[in-house]
C-alpha cells in the first residue's frame, strides 16, 4: 500500500501570505519520508478548493522543492481545456521534476466551473475520455492537425518534449462503476474517494475495474488510489476534538457534493430548501461517518484497521487529504504519525531516507 498527500483546501480567502505553506512543507516531508506522490486539484470560482485553479502551476512549485516524490494532478478537469494545452503544461512539470509527472482526468462536477467552456458541459464524460487519449498521443510525440489564426491548417506537436515516454494517467471517479470500467478499457488507473460509497462498495468496483483491465490490456498492473481525509495523533479523542469543527466546516462548504452523494439521501435533494438546523444535522451525521469509517483519524493503530480494509478492497494507494481546515502547524506535526502508519502498513521499522536524509523511495 502506497501513501501520498492530497490537497483540496476548503478556504482560499484566509489572510496572509502563507496560503501555500502546508502544500510546500508537506511536499518536502513527503519527499524526505518516502511517500509516493503529492496530488493537487483543479477548482474554479469558489473558496472550496480555490487555492488550486491550475494543478500544473502548483505541481511546478512542488517540483522545485522535491527530488523523489511523484507530482500528480488530482485532477485536471479535462473538458475545460484543449488537450494540447494540458500536454504542454504537464510536459513542463515533467521536465522540471525529472520525469515525475502524472495526471488524473476528471469530467467535472460543478456547472459554474464550465464558465470556462460552457459548450463542453453537456457531453463532458465523452470529452474526458477523448482528451485522455489525445493527451497520451501528444505526449508520445504525435502531431495534431490544427486550424491557425489565418484560416489555414498546420501540423503541431508539443514542446518541450517530456522526460517520460508515457504519461501516467488515471480517471477520477465519484463512485460510478462505469467510470471504473472506462478506466480499465483505457488502460488508465482510477482515482476515487469514499463520498457516497462504502469500502465494501469500493471493493466491487475495483474488482470490475481489474476484470475490464485484464480483458482489454492483459498483463497491465493497473492502479487504484483512494482519497481519504486524514489527521492522526497520540489520542483518538483529542484528534476528534481537533478535527470536529474544521471537518464540519469542510463538509458544510462542500455540502452540495457530499450530501447529495450519500446513498441515504434523495439524489434530487434541494439543499436551499432545508432548514439550517436540518442541514446542520445532516452535516453532523456525515462527520460521524467520515470519522468512524471514511477517513484516517485518531491514532496510527486505529487508522491501520481502515488501511487494511482499503488494501483488502484491492486499492494500491491511499491519497491522504490533509488540508481540510486543521491548523497548519498541527497538520505538519501530525505527519510523523502518518509516516509511522505508512511504515507499519509496509512492515518497516525505519523510514526510507531517515538515516542519510536521501528520501529515496522503497
Amino acid at each position: 500500500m502506497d501513501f501520498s498527500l492530497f490537497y483540496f483546501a476548503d478556504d482560499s480567502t484566509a489572510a496572509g501570505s502563507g496560503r501555500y505553506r502546508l502544500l510546500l512543507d508537506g511536499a518536502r516531508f513527503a519527499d524526505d519520508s518516502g511517500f509516493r506522490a503529492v496530488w493537487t486539484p483543479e477548482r474554479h470560482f469558489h473558496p472550496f478548493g480555490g487555492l488550486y485553479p491550475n494543478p500544473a502551476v502548483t505541481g511546478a512549485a512542488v517540483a522545485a522543492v522535491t527530488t523523489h516524490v511523484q507530482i500528480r494532478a488530482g485532477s485536471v478537469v479535462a473538458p475545460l481545456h484543449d488537450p494540447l494545452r494540458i500536454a504542454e503544461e504537464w510536459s513542463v512539470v515533467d521536465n522540471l521534476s525529472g520525469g515525475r509527472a502524472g495526471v488524473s482526468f476528471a469530467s467535472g462536477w460543478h456547472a459554474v466551473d464550465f464558465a470556462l467552456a460552457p459548450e463542453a458541459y453537456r457531453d463532458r464524460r465523452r470529452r474526458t475520455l477523448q482528451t485522455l487519449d489525445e493527451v497520451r498521443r501528444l505526449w508520445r510525440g504525435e502531431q495534431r492537425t490544427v486550424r491557425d489564426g489565418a484560416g489555414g491548417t498546420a501540423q503541431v506537436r508539443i514542446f518541450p518534449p517530456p522526460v517520460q515516454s508515457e504519461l501516467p494517467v488515471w480517471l477520477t471517479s465519484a463512485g460510478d462503476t462505469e467510470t471504473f470500467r472506462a478506466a480499465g478499457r483505457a488502460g488508465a488507473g482510477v482515482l476515487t474517494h469514499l463520498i457516497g460509497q462504502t469500502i465494501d462498495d469500493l471493493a466491487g468496483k475495483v474488482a470490475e475495474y481489474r476484470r475490464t483491465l485484464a480483458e482489454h490490456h492483459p498483463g497491465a498492473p493497473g492502479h487504484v488510489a483512494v482519497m481519504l481525509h486524514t489527521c492522526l495523533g497520540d489520542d483518538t479523542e483529542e484528534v476528534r476534538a481537533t478535527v470536529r469543527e474544521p471537518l464540519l466546516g469542510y463538509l458544510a462548504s462542500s455540502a452540495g457534493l457530499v450530501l447529495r452523494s450519500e446513498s441515504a439521501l434523495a439524489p434530487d435533494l434541494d439543499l436551499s430548501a432545508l432548514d439550517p438546523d436540518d442541514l446542520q444535522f445532516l452535516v453532523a451525521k456525515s462527520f460521524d461517518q467520515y470519522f468512524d469509517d471514511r477517513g484516517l483519524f485518531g491514532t496510527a493503530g486505529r487508522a491501520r484497521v481502515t488501511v487494511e480494509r482499503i488494501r483488502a478492497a484491492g486499492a494500491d494507494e491511499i491519497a491522504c487529504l490533509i488540508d481540510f481546515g486543521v491548523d497548519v502547524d498541527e497538520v505538519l506535526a501530525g505527519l510523523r504519525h502518518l509516516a509511522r502508519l505508512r511504515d507499519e502498513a509496509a512492515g518497516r521499522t525505519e523510514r526510507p531516507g531517515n538515516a542519510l536524509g536521501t528520501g529515496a523511495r522503497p
Side-chain angles (χ1 to χ4, degrees):
M1 179 65 68
D2 283 327
F3 283 73
S4 56
L5 298 186
F6 195 101
Y7 293 83
F8 204 125
D10 67 317
D11 186 7
S12 59
T13 62
S17 59
R19 290 182 176 132
Y20 294 96
R21 183 165 73 92
L22 180 55
L23 170 65
L24 298 179
D25 286 356
R28 292 184 183 99
F29 180 92
D31 196 54
D32 185 58
S33 301
F35 281 62
R36 181 60 66 194
V38 172
W39 303 78
T40 56
E42 177 180 353
R43 188 73 176 93
H44 301 283
F45 315 130
H46 196 280
F48 179 65
L51 281 177
Y52 300 102
N54 187 335
V57 174
T58 48
V62 171
V65 299
T66 60
T67 305
H68 306 287
V69 72
Q70 295 178 18
I71 300 163
R72 299 176 184 161
S75 312
V76 167
V77 183
L80 300 183
H81 309 287
D82 190 305
L84 279 166
R85 191 63 173 159
I86 297 172
E88 281 185 334
E89 289 181 347
W90 281 93
S91 183
V92 170
V93 177
D94 204 48
N95 277 271
L96 287 171
S97 64
R100 294 183 280 136
V103 176
S104 190
F105 292 81
S107 60
W109 58 273
H110 201 287
V112 176
D113 290 357
F114 282 79
L116 297 173
E119 72 286 351
Y121 186 72
R122 185 181 298 271
D123 65 341
R124 60 193 182 278
R125 291 176 178 83
R126 179 192 63 81
R127 287 173 180 256
T128 298
L129 292 171
Q130 180 179 327
T131 297
L132 184 152
D133 179 66
E134 188 164 349
V135 169
R136 278 172 144 175
R137 293 175 182 274
L138 291 164
W139 194 271
R140 295 168 187 149
E142 294 185 20
Q143 293 186 326
R144 172 177 157 186
T145 302
V146 298
R147 184 172 295 278
D148 64 25
T153 59
Q155 293 286 317
V156 298
R157 63 188 182 93
I158 65 165
F159 293 96
V163 174
Q164 299 176 98
S165 59
E166 288 285 339
L167 175 66
V169 296
W170 291 258
L171 271 180
T172 301
S173 172
D176 183 7
T177 304
E178 182 51 39
T179 305
F180 281 75
R181 294 191 188 104
R185 288 191 293 269
V190 176
L191 172 63
T192 191
H193 50 64
L194 295 182
I195 298 174
Q197 60 180 337
T198 66
I199 295 176
D200 290 340
D201 295 333
L202 174 66
K205 295 167 187 177
V206 172
E208 187 65 13
Y209 163 69
R210 303 284 186 194
R211 184 196 65 77
T212 308
L213 182 70
E215 178 182 344
H216 292 270
H217 302 275
H223 189 272
V224 177
V226 182
M227 185 276 286
L228 298 179
H229 290 75
T230 300
C231 185
L232 300 177
D234 291 312
D235 180 84
T236 293
E237 292 311 310
E238 288 181 3
V239 172
R240 186 188 296 271
T242 296
V243 305
R244 182 171 180 81
E245 291 306 316
L247 188 55
L248 282 172
Y250 186 96
L251 294 173
S253 70
S254 59
L257 173 63
V258 175
L259 298 179
R260 286 191 183 95
S261 299
E262 297 298 335
S263 58
L265 300 175
D268 58 350
L269 177 66
D270 183 3
L271 294 174
S272 64
L274 287 177
D275 182 274
D277 290 339
D278 292 334
L279 181 58
Q280 185 177 9
F281 171 79
L282 292 173
V283 170
K285 183 178 178 181
S286 290
F287 170 83
D288 292 335
Q289 291 173 336
Y290 269 79
F291 195 91
D292 293 335
D293 298 315
R294 301 188 184 186
L296 299 180
F297 294 116
T299 64
R302 183 181 189 273
R304 178 74 181 272
V305 175
T306 300
V307 171
E308 294 308 320
R309 292 181 65 204
I310 295 290
R311 190 201 306 272
D316 304 284
E317 177 180 324
I318 294 176
C320 301
L321 192 155
I322 60 172
D323 65 335
F324 54 90
V326 176
D327 176 77
V328 169
D329 289 321
E330 286 192 71
V331 174
L332 291 172
L335 291 180
R336 62 187 175 86
H337 296 282
L338 182 57
R340 190 174 79 217
L341 172 64
R342 172 193 179 279
D343 296 342
E344 290 174 356
R348 291 193 190 90
T349 57
E350 294 184 5
R351 290 204 301 274
N354 274 4
L356 299 177
T358 62
R361 290 200 305 271

